[in-house]
Amino acid sequence: MTAQSQTKNIIVGISGASGVIYAQRLIAQITAAQANAHVVVSNPGREILAHELGIDDICAGNLIGHESKHFIPHDNQNLFSELASGSVPIDAMIICPCSSNSLAAIASGLADNLLRRAAYVTLKQKRPLILVHRETPLTSIDLENMLRLSRAGATICPASPGFYHHPQTIEQLADSLVGRVLDMVGIEHDLPVRWSDPKG
Ligand SMILES: Cc1cc2nc3c(=O)[nH]c(=O)nc-3n(C[C@H](O)[C@H](O)[C@H](O)COP(=O)(O)O)c2cc1C
């Protein structure tokens, strides 16, 4: 990766929360937009990919249905990765879904795996960090962690899809959230997330 590169580089961290379909559709959109999706998955994230989507082997074919040079997997245990250094130009990081565990670790400044280290680097470099948190109900610990991270520059984006575009499938429902996240990191898409006045 070079600072001159025109290709966007987005880190997608997948932690062990429910809703990995959001990550699947997010990565499909990022790669379709010819941006690089650097994918880092925690061990619990791997287990939930297998449980919810039947994906045991994390590769482009299994996640987005075809090979893509823009799908770039990274080992969560590899702290020698380029993603662990602020010297490497990355445009934004999205953790999707973000567990309460990862939320707490990042809010505490922990950087003991690549997902957490990349989030720490994203914050210290003042780059966009979007946390698509999923848990319900929330504890005051979650809320305090969110406030702490928001004050540190992160965007807390609860996995809270909208129904006002009348989604007919789970995929369409997921896309109502995915489109909003893509907007936050400047990735073009044509997902139907724009509101227009139905009376207008
Ligand atoms: C099937 C399943 C679903 C889970 N869903 C959630 C969830 O929605 N939110 C959450 O915060 N934790 C959830 N967990 C618990 C996390 O996986 C667990 O706290 C784990 O330590 C997260 O680690 P990570 O943040 O390193 O991925 C779930 C666990 C399992 C087995």
Side-chain angles (χ1 to χ4, degrees):
M1 269 177 276
T2 66
Q4 289 75 34
S5 170
Q6 295 301 306
T7 305
K8 279 200 172 216
N9 287 286
I10 310 289
I11 304 173
V12 180
I14 304 176
S15 69
S18 186
V20 285
I21 188 174
Y22 294 120
Q24 182 182 41
R25 300 190 71 79
L26 186 65
I27 293 165
Q29 289 290 329
I30 292 170
T31 54
Q34 311 298 315
N36 291 331
H38 296 267
V39 179
V40 187
V41 189
S42 71
N43 285 339
R46 285 180 179 274
E47 290 186 31
I48 295 180
L49 274 166
H51 179 71
E52 292 187 351
L53 297 179
I55 295 174
D56 290 310
D57 178 22
I58 297 166
C59 61
N62 287 343
L63 258 175
I64 60 174
H66 57 84
E67 293 306 312
S68 170
K69 67 176 183 181
H70 295 294
F71 181 94
I72 305 170
H74 296 260
D75 177 358
N76 193 35
Q77 304 311 318
N78 181 18
L79 290 171
F80 279 77
S81 164
E82 57 192 348
L83 304 187
S85 172
S87 64
V88 174
I90 292 289
D91 294 282
M93 178 170 184
I94 304 161
I95 303 184
C96 176
C98 181
S99 69
S100 284
N101 179 65
S102 286
L103 182 86
I106 297 162
S108 302
L110 295 182
D112 54 350
N113 62 36
L114 187 58
L115 188 151
R116 296 172 184 180
R117 170 67 187 170
Y120 175 85
V121 168
T122 304
L123 285 176
K124 87 179 172 72
Q125 297 301 127
K126 309 286 187 205
R127 297 169 182 157
L129 175 64
I130 319 297
L131 303 177
V132 183
H133 179 259
R134 195 274 146 198
E135 188 50 274
T136 194
L138 301 178
T139 67
S140 53
I141 298 169
D142 294 315
L143 294 168
E144 285 180 4
N145 286 334
M146 287 179 184
L147 180 59
R148 198 165 190 204
L149 282 163
S150 178
R151 285 181 170 148
T155 298
I156 308 299
C157 177
S160 170
F163 290 79
Y164 46 82
H165 289 295
H166 307 293
Q168 301 299 305
T169 64
I170 289 177
E171 288 75 15
Q172 289 175 1
L173 184 63
D175 284 349
S176 75
L177 178 77
V178 166
R180 301 292 290 270
V181 174
L182 292 165
D183 286 346
M184 289 176 211
V185 296
I187 297 288
E188 286 188 21
H189 64 88
D190 57 5
L191 299 176
V193 297
R194 312 275 169 247
W195 174 251
S196 64
D197 185 348
K199 299 180 202 130

